[in-house]
Amino acid sequence: ADPTSTSTSTSTAADLGVAPAPPPEAPAPPEARPSAGPGSIAAARGAIQSTRAAGPAVSRSNALAEADAAVDRNDADDDADALSSAELLARELGAQVIEEIRHP
């Protein structure tokens, strides 16, 4: 063969007398995770923050009916528009922002 030749022929492994590479092996299945023990489960449950304030149970339908009856659309003291949604949720429900993701 001429080393200065510019032809571009493609040779396969069989053309060159070389055995083709074996196919890749399938990945091994993931190892099973050990199950959590009772101590770690109890620790995880103990770390959960309470989501509701303790207090007497109030019938939601009565409380909502009373609140709806007292609403006035022209109420000058209504400051719902002055709070951001996160501030309103924090004030009314005790919500806490875990992570804030801005989307363009």
Side-chain angles (χ1 to χ4, degrees):
D2 182 10
T4 60
S5 174
T6 59
S7 70
T8 56
S9 64
T10 309
S11 300
T12 63
D15 293 338
L16 300 174
V18 178
E25 292 183 26
E31 294 182 25
R33 291 189 297 177
S35 61
S40 60
I41 291 173
R45 286 189 177 148
I48 296 173
Q49 296 178 358
S50 63
T51 56
R52 296 177 191 247
V58 176
S59 171
R60 296 292 290 164
S61 60
N62 289 342
L64 291 176
E66 291 173 13
D68 286 344
V71 171
D72 179 11
R73 290 191 185 271
N74 298 321
D75 187 0
D77 294 331
D78 182 19
D79 65 350
D81 294 331
L83 296 174
S84 72
S85 58
E87 292 169 335
L88 182 62
L89 288 169
R91 184 187 78 186
E92 297 297 320
L93 303 175
Q96 182 180 8
V97 175
I98 297 171
E99 180 180 4
E100 189 169 320
I101 300 173
R102 298 276 182 202
H103 296 282

